[in-house]
Amino acid sequence: MYNLKRLPHKIDTRINAVKLYRAGARIKEVCDKYNVSKAALMRWNSIYDGTKKSLEDKSCIANTRTYSAELRLNSVLLYRSGKFTLKELANKYGFSVGSLIRWNKIFDGTKESLMDK
């Protein structure tokens, strides 16, 4: 169930730690009380927007999202036109630079080459 390298903290622990830190408690005090690292506390603090959802673990499904063949094709064609950089297109459409590099490599001029296999 849990990754042995990283045991996740419960949402309530995350929220309480951030709230205590934002209320003025010292970092060491918060970390000791909730048994969390400084890095985790700072990460939670930077993403916490007052909702539980902002501190939930991101599902691995989000890392395996798929993009339509249309988006892949348009992105590759825009990149090959020379008008946009990899980073500009990735930021504009929400995929990674690595995805666009991969699509560009497998594109053979047909939309079918960019379809999910």
Side-chain angles (χ1 to χ4, degrees):
M1 183 161 122
Y2 288 119
N3 181 339
L4 293 177
K5 293 181 181 176
R6 184 183 146 270
L7 295 176
H9 296 280
K10 294 182 180 186
I11 297 295
D12 292 335
T13 300
R14 296 174 188 194
I15 291 171
N16 292 335
V18 170
K19 285 182 176 179
L20 182 61
Y21 172 68
R22 289 183 179 179
R26 292 183 1 253
I27 293 172
K28 183 170 178 12
E29 176 186 343
V30 176
C31 292
D32 289 347
K33 179 174 182 171
Y34 291 101
N35 194 28
V36 300
S37 68
K38 178 182 175 184
L41 176 61
M42 295 296 99
R43 184 174 59 252
W44 299 338
N45 184 54
S46 70
I47 62 174
Y48 183 60
D49 64 7
T51 64
K52 276 188 172 187
K53 187 170 179 79
S54 64
L55 289 178
E56 288 177 351
D57 280 327
K58 306 301 182 239
S59 169
C60 61
I61 293 171
N63 294 329
T64 60
R65 70 178 81 150
T66 58
Y67 300 96
S68 69
E70 309 275 321
L71 176 69
R72 295 175 190 200
L73 175 63
N74 291 337
S75 300
V76 169
L77 293 176
L78 285 171
Y79 173 65
R80 288 186 175 188
S81 75
K83 295 178 182 176
F84 299 94
T85 65
L86 292 167
K87 191 172 184 178
E88 288 171 335
L89 290 167
N91 289 338
K92 182 175 183 175
Y93 294 109
F95 48 73
S96 70
V97 169
S99 292
L100 183 51
I101 290 170
R102 188 173 59 257
W103 301 337
N104 188 47
K105 282 182 183 176
I106 63 172
F107 181 62
D108 64 7
T110 65
K111 182 178 175 181
E112 290 72 29
S113 65
L114 296 173
M115 306 274 277
D116 283 331
K117 308 260 188 286

